[in-house]
């Protein structure tokens, strides 16, 4: 539980904001120096996501997606804009969203909203999104705030919409990273928070071909 490792909630969030303000607005900066894994990450995410976009009675729509913890728009540019008509981005760091406007190029015209906000305070519009993509950012939320945010995401889905989390998983327990003021949770904790938010897990997959020295990365789809 994050309550065991986060001593001061205000400090937990303010330290993270300060950390990201000093990070270069580049793909390498977004990935903590692991920019070379971006294509592996995107290709796996596309394959995972497309299983829900195929034809069928419960097919997820492709009208609008939300990129949470979007940074400069790495995922928006390479994963979401090629698959969805419009995309919204939310990130706590204003400089990243400013950079996104040039980084995304011509296709960026299909990004309708750039929300500068921490996810603990962000309220996505109800019944709006086909896919809400949350990658490498849940560690910046306490358990309570993550659960509450997932509940708001659930309310924000259109029919047959899905929420996707892709993130690092600890081997055991909840581990605090003092450098960027984030936590890494074990799989069982993340699954419990998903269920507690009233979401049903549709698929779960471990990322392959990432460097051995980093945490295992899992992708979850839910609605």
């Amino acid at each position: 539980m994050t309550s065991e490792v986060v001593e001061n909630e205000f400090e937990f969030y303010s330290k993270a904001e300060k950390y990201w303000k000093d990070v270069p607005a580049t793909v390498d900066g977004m990935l903590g120096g692991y920019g070379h894994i971006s294509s592996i990450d995107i290709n796996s995410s596309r394959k995972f996501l497309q299983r829900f976009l195929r034809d069928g009675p419960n097919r997820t729509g492709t009208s609008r997606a939300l990129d949470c913890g979007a940074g400069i728009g790495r995922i928006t540019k390479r994963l979401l804009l090629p698959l969805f008509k419009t995309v919204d981005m939310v990130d706590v760091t204003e400089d990243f969203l400013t950079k996104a406007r040039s980084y995304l190029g011509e296709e960026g015209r299909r990004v309708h909203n750039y929300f500068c906000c921490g996810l603990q305070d962000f309220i996505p519009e109800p019944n709006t999104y086909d896919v809400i993509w949350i990658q490498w950012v849940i560690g910046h939320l306490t358990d309570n705030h993550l659960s509450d945010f997932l509940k708001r995401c659930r309310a924000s889905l259109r029919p047959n919409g899905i929420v996707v989390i892709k993130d690092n998983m600890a081997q055991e327990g909840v581990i605090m990273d003092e450098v960027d003021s984030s936590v890494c949770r074990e799989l069982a904790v993340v699954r419990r928070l998903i269920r507690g938010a009233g979401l049903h897990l549709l698929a779960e997959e471990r990322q392959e071909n990432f460097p051995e020295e980093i945490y295992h990365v899992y992708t979850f789809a839910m609605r």
Side-chain angles (χ1 to χ4, degrees):
M1 301 291 287
T2 53
S3 56
E4 295 169 7
V5 294
V6 176
E7 294 178 7
N8 182 314
E9 192 176 278
F10 175 79
E11 193 176 277
F12 175 68
Y13 286 113
S14 58
K15 275 180 68 178
E17 282 195 46
K18 185 176 184 303
Y19 170 84
W20 285 107
K21 278 179 180 170
D22 293 333
V23 169
T26 62
V27 170
D28 208 45
M30 299 302 97
L31 294 176
Y34 283 90
H36 60 284
I37 70 170
S38 184
S39 290
I40 298 169
D41 168 57
I42 294 290
N43 290 338
S44 296
S45 294
R46 185 183 301 112
K47 190 175 178 184
F48 181 89
L49 184 53
Q50 281 179 326
R51 74 177 80 172
F52 298 98
L53 307 181
R54 296 189 187 118
D55 290 336
N58 297 314
R59 184 178 75 85
T60 297
T62 55
S63 292
R64 195 167 177 185
L66 174 66
D67 186 358
C68 299
I72 64 169
R74 181 186 71 91
I75 291 165
T76 289
K77 180 176 180 136
R78 298 193 55 197
L79 176 67
L80 301 178
L81 281 173
L83 294 172
F84 295 88
K85 291 186 181 73
T86 63
V87 178
D88 290 342
M89 295 169 57
V90 55
D91 197 275
V92 74
T93 307
E94 193 166 355
D95 285 350
F96 293 164
L97 295 176
T98 299
K99 174 67 176 178
R101 287 167 166 81
S102 59
Y103 171 74
L104 294 171
E106 282 294 301
E107 292 298 297
R109 289 178 300 177
R110 294 190 289 113
V111 175
H112 280 193
N113 295 293
Y114 297 85
F115 298 109
C116 187
C117 188
L119 298 185
Q120 69 274 21
D121 299 315
F122 182 64
I123 303 173
E125 192 177 336
N127 192 34
T128 297
Y129 297 106
D130 296 297
V131 169
I132 298 176
W133 193 274
I134 310 167
Q135 183 161 346
W136 281 322
V137 69
I138 65 168
H140 285 301
L141 296 174
T142 64
D143 287 351
N144 287 340
H145 281 153
L146 176 54
S147 180
D148 288 345
F149 179 62
L150 289 176
K151 289 173 185 174
R152 297 196 296 273
C153 287
R154 188 186 72 197
S156 185
L157 291 178
R158 298 179 70 211
N160 297 321
I162 58 170
V163 177
V164 178
I165 288 175
K166 187 169 187 177
D167 221 302
N168 302 336
M169 299 294 138
Q171 290 290 91
E172 186 178 354
V174 179
I175 300 168
M176 183 75 185
D177 186 334
E178 297 289 352
V179 176
D180 66 356
S181 192
S182 69
V183 296
C184 187
R185 301 169 173 92
E186 65 172 78
L187 270 168
V189 173
V190 175
R191 290 190 193 116
R192 187 166 68 243
L193 288 167
I194 288 169
R195 287 195 304 270
L199 288 159
H200 173 64
L201 202 55
L202 303 173
E204 177 186 308
E205 182 176 281
R206 181 179 162 187
Q207 172 71 51
E208 296 179 349
N209 302 316
F210 268 9
E212 288 184 12
E213 70 270 18
I214 68 174
Y215 285 115
H216 293 166
V217 172
Y218 278 80
T219 311
F220 309 86
M222 64 208 87
R223 66 164 62 106

